[in-house]
């Protein structure tokens, strides 16, 4: 929370090695100043930089015209690699601190974040970071009779998205979907 004012700021890290080597200020403070390991520094830096976006997603989810799909929320949660609850709590804390009238707005903020948190568990999205594609790369190449290439990463991303939108989907349905979207990735 004390590092929130530094979100989205970067500095030149290790200028003696390379001048265009930038790093987030938050990451440098944690790693170099506080001497905490690099993985924790990256996690906290990502959390700090994502607070505003997380707050927007929670607001969109709670709006009357909730336009977020299951895959949009799942991919967003997936981007935190298992640390989404840290960002959730930090974003809620930040919104509470920035609210004008604490008596009026606090229950709404807490309800909004509570609704979003509950939905993530109801939809079984809490572990979306560990979701693996139903069809592995080798099988995919055999099914499509193609050679490996850069197109595969886009197809794997589409597989994950499809799986998030179709939690009970079958491999055959996924194969049909892949065949339909394949021309966009080749």
């Amino acid at each position: 929370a004390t590092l929130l004012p530094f979100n989205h700021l970067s500095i030149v890290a290790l200028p003696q090695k390379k001048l265009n080597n930038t790093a987030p200020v938050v990451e440098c403070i944690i790693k170099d100043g506080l001497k905490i390991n690099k993985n924790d520094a990256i996690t906290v830096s990502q959390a700090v930089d994502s607070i505003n976006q997380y707050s927007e997603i929670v607001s969109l989810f709670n709006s009357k015209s909730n336009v977020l799909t299951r895959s949009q929320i799942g991919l967003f949660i997936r981007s935190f690699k298992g640390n989404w609850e840290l960002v959730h709590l930090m974003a809620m804390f930040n919104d509470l601190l920035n609210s004008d009238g604490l008596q009026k707005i606090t229950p709404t903020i807490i309800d909004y974040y509570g609704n979003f948190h509950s939905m993530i568990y109801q939809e079984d999205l809490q572990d979306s970071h560990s979701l693996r594609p139903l069809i592995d790369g080798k099988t995919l190449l055999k099914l499509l009779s193609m050679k490996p290439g850069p197109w595969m990463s886009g197809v794997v991303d589409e597989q994950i998205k499809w799986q998030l939108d179709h939690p009970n989907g079958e491999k055959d349905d996924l194969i049909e979907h892949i065949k339909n979207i394949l021309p966009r990735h080749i």
Side-chain angles (χ1 to χ4, degrees):
T2 57
L3 298 170
L4 285 174
F6 301 106
N7 69 339
H8 298 296
L9 293 177
S10 294
I11 61 170
V12 175
L14 304 170
Q16 45 299 34
K17 290 187 179 181
K18 197 160 123 183
L19 282 178
N20 62 355
N21 190 18
T22 61
V25 169
V26 172
E27 185 180 325
C28 291
I29 290 171
I30 293 171
K31 188 175 65 181
D32 301 330
L34 299 175
K35 304 294 185 203
I36 297 175
N37 72 44
K38 183 177 180 169
N39 289 335
D40 290 343
I42 291 170
T43 299
V44 172
S45 179
Q46 181 190 22
V48 168
D49 286 345
S50 301
I51 282 185
N52 293 334
Q53 187 181 8
Y54 196 95
S55 184
E56 289 171 17
I57 293 283
V58 170
S59 294
L60 265 173
F61 171 76
N62 285 288
S63 69
K64 290 181 182 176
S65 62
N66 178 6
V67 294
L68 296 172
T69 63
R70 187 176 189 277
S71 64
Q72 287 173 315
I73 295 169
L75 291 172
F76 182 68
I77 296 300
R78 184 179 171 87
S79 70
F80 297 110
K81 298 178 178 91
N83 297 307
W84 70 271
E85 287 182 298
L86 169 70
V87 182
H88 181 86
L89 293 172
M90 285 179 57
M92 183 174 68
F93 180 69
N94 188 48
D95 283 354
L96 288 169
L97 286 177
N98 291 328
S99 63
D100 292 331
L102 282 178
Q103 279 102 10
K104 290 182 182 178
I105 198 95
T106 300
T108 306
I109 292 171
I110 292 172
D111 289 344
Y112 276 16
Y113 279 87
N115 293 341
F116 189 69
H117 191 271
S118 296
M119 180 277 308
I120 289 172
Y121 277 92
Q122 286 169 358
E123 292 291 326
D124 199 27
L125 292 171
Q126 70 275 8
D127 294 323
S128 60
H129 65 282
S130 60
L131 183 64
R132 298 281 171 237
L134 282 175
I135 303 170
D136 65 76
K138 287 182 182 180
T139 307
L140 185 65
L141 291 173
K142 285 179 186 175
L143 286 170
L144 299 173
S145 301
M146 295 182 70
K147 293 184 180 182
W151 62 271
M152 286 184 68
S153 67
V155 172
V156 169
D157 292 344
E158 287 286 339
Q159 276 193 72
I160 296 294
K161 183 179 175 186
W162 185 89
Q163 287 174 229
L164 287 167
D165 279 334
H166 304 88
N168 299 319
E170 299 290 325
K171 280 188 179 183
D172 294 336
D173 298 329
L174 177 57
I175 292 167
E176 284 304 312
H177 174 70
I178 291 171
K179 287 179 181 176
N180 289 335
I181 58 120
L182 190 60
R184 286 188 275 168
H185 296 281
I186 296 180

